[in-house]
Amino acid sequence: MLTLNDVTWLDVFLVCVGVYLAKQVFTKKNPAPYPPGPAGWPLIDNILDMPRIKPCLTFAQWGEKHGDVMHVQVLGQHIIVLNSVKTAMEMLDKKSAVYSDRPVFPMGGELVGFKDALPFLSYGDRFRRYRKNLHRAIGNRAAVDEYKQIEESETRRFLKRVLAKPDQLQEHVRHTAGAIILRISYGYQVKENNDPFIDLANRAMDGISQATTPGAFMVDILPLLAYVPAWFPGAGFRRMAREWREILEEMVSAPYKLVKDQMAAGIAPMSFTSNLLEGRDVSAEEDHIVKWSAFSLYGGGADTTVSAIYSLFLAMTTFPDLQKKAQAEIDAVVGPDRLPSFADRDSLPYTEALVKEVLRWNVVSPTGFPHRVTEDDVHDGYYIPKGSMVLSNIWFMLNDQRTYAKPSQFNPERFLANDGKEPEIDPRTICFGFGRRICPGLHLADASIWISAAMSLAVFDISKIVENGVEITPEFEPSLGSTSHPKPFKCSIKPRSATALGLIQQDAN
């Protein structure tokens, strides 16, 4: 990985001088001041201010001094940081026509190749065609209802895996999330163990998280470094990009080819991909769009689901009294003789609130995915120049005491109407992003998280482990990356009763 230590300060200085001189020649007078922010330095702007680790925390600290809309500049690139739900909705939702583009990502987008996936796609015709495909399949709860049987049957298999090997919880969560999305996307039924597509997908998603972490690669700050040969000293990032690109290309192409081969043989199961291809002679452009739409469906739902479900088990380990409340509700509504289903969802308000609090507690995408401004704008008296990158500090929005009472506490009841108090803001209106770039897989992810929570709590007691006579409380320490996952932790997972054991051992449909 090429870091600041691998680039001489003379290199940086010369680039900064060039940028500074260009600014002096070509900069026009602004119609309004930039939003406030760290002052920066002559020539180098805010390059030394930009955080490389957990930027959401630094942005929150800046917000205490500078407010909800902040501005920094790095080598001529304007960066706008939004620190409140109100400003995000005013700019990214209400002005979505000019705030919906994506910046160029030299590492993750260009070198690794994720630029063709929906989250990275520039706003335009191809973007709209991807979204149209995805909206038909998972764009609302009614569409997602078509996949309830898949969700429920794969979650039953998840319970069996956890029962057999509870110490491999994280692996089971990933396996199940992948199994659901692969069945929906490609009609592919995963193998119980060592499935090649599950392994491939996990490596691809890990690559995208690492490659898109803000500040992790110097090439994202100095794009010219993309032309450095892979053999050059300090160019390890080029070799990493090549490795991740190979994984990505196989993940995008292999399951897609499988569907086309099955369709040619007349044996293809119904799926998102087969529905788009059925009875059509697709052009090369349409073939590209269908292939990458299917991959984007996987990417839009799997990683969010994995992070949230693993976080649920961590929360239940840490807060056993809240687990008992949810179990009491499920016992009263569902009873001991069957597993919960989606038909029970409206009758389980505490379980619903618990899922919401998990999404607020561990923010899956702490700084969201950057937007890019396509036209000059003046917002609330501040100048937002064309080409600005806009970051939403979603972590802070979900931990803002102006929005959530005692945000550091894990408290599902904040989302229930109690003692005349209105429920607090549903985190699902925040954590999946804003405007026309909102996550297209949000309804599918929400359904997967809920059914996993309801079924798991119905049959399992989740508790702290005891080592050498000492009860171990796991630490909540999210991983680094553009997607946040709790670090691996240990917990005890046991059937609640002999009846619960029988429900787990029932065959999945």
Side-chain angles (χ1 to χ4, degrees), residues 254-481:
Y256 184 68
K257 181 178 184 299
L258 175 66
V259 174
K260 295 182 78 172
D261 290 346
Q262 289 175 332
M263 292 180 71
I267 58 172
M270 187 71 70
S271 70
F272 171 80
T273 302
S274 65
N275 284 342
L276 290 176
L277 294 174
E278 187 68 42
R280 299 173 59 201
D281 292 325
V282 298
S283 65
E285 171 69 6
E286 289 171 326
D287 188 73
H288 176 94
I289 288 173
V290 174
K291 180 170 68 174
W292 279 94
S293 294
F295 172 77
S296 299
L297 173 59
Y298 185 96
D303 222 24
T304 301
T305 305
V306 170
S307 176
I309 294 174
Y310 197 52
S311 298
L312 169 79
F313 277 83
L314 175 58
M316 296 300 89
T317 304
T318 308
F319 309 110
D321 291 345
L322 304 184
Q323 177 183 178
K324 291 176 182 176
K325 284 186 179 182
Q327 289 172 330
E329 178 185 70
I330 292 169
D331 292 344
V333 173
V334 178
D337 300 326
R338 65 178 179 88
L339 287 168
S341 71
F342 283 108
D344 302 305
R345 186 167 187 175
D346 291 341
S347 303
L348 297 170
Y350 188 85
T351 306
E352 184 83 8
L354 180 63
V355 169
K356 291 179 183 178
E357 183 67 341
V358 166
L359 290 170
R360 190 198 67 83
W361 183 57
N362 177 45
V363 183
V364 175
S365 182
T367 55
F369 224 65
H371 291 226
R372 180 180 175 275
V373 185
T374 54
E375 296 179 12
D376 287 350
D377 183 37
V378 175
H379 182 83
D380 201 21
Y382 294 120
Y383 176 51
I384 314 294
K386 177 181 178 180
S388 294
M389 182 188 300
V390 182
L391 297 173
S392 301
N393 191 359
I394 291 176
W395 175 86
F396 180 73
M397 294 177 192
L398 292 171
N399 284 273
D400 188 347
Q401 60 185 0
R402 297 172 297 181
T403 305
Y404 297 103
K406 299 179 180 178
S408 61
Q409 293 184 5
F410 187 92
N411 178 23
E413 293 192 11
R414 69 174 75 248
F415 300 114
L416 300 174
N418 290 325
D419 301 325
K421 293 182 179 180
E422 288 294 315
E424 295 177 0
I425 293 177
D426 187 336
R428 294 173 297 192
T429 64
I430 302 170
C431 67
F432 290 106
F434 299 94
R436 300 179 189 180
R437 305 305 303 226
I438 193 170
C439 174
L442 68 94
H443 296 293
L444 186 62
D446 175 58
S448 297
I449 297 162
W450 187 87
I451 196 64
S452 181
M455 284 191 177
S456 298
L457 290 169
V459 297
F460 287 129
D461 276 326
I462 306 160
S463 60
K464 300 172 186 177
I465 63 167
V466 176
E467 293 183 343
N468 301 319
V470 178
E471 188 177 68
I472 306 298
T473 299
E475 294 184 4
F476 176 45
E477 180 62 28
S479 63
L480 304 177

Side-chain angles (χ1 to χ4, degrees), residues 105 107-121 203-209 211-212 244-245 247-248 252 292 295-296 369:
F105 298 86
M107 182 64 179
E110 303 299 314
L111 292 178
V112 179
F114 283 105
K115 65 181 179 180
D116 288 316
L118 180 63
F120 294 81
L121 212 58
R203 287 188 289 143
M205 299 313 296
D206 182 62
I208 192 172
S209 179
T212 58
W244 288 335
R245 188 182 191 97
I247 295 170
L248 172 64
V252 173
W292 279 94
F295 172 77
S296 299
F369 224 65

Side-chain angles (χ1 to χ4, degrees), residues 18-89:
V19 170
Y20 177 79
L21 293 175
K23 284 167 59 179
Q24 298 305 306
V25 174
F26 297 107
T27 299
K28 61 184 179 182
K29 182 175 176 59
N30 295 340
Y34 295 124
W41 297 83
L43 298 181
I44 63 173
D45 297 322
N46 297 102
I47 191 171
L48 301 180
D49 297 313
M50 288 300 292
R52 296 171 61 81
I53 299 174
K54 295 187 177 179
C56 58
L57 300 182
T58 301
F59 295 159
Q61 292 171 358
W62 289 355
E64 292 178 2
K65 180 178 180 181
H66 302 293
D68 292 338
V69 183
M70 297 173 292
H71 169 265
V72 292
Q73 192 168 355
V74 176
L75 300 180
Q77 172 65 62
H78 296 278
I79 301 172
I80 308 299
V81 179
L82 308 182
N83 249 8
S84 77
V85 178
K86 179 177 179 290
T87 55
M89 289 184 172

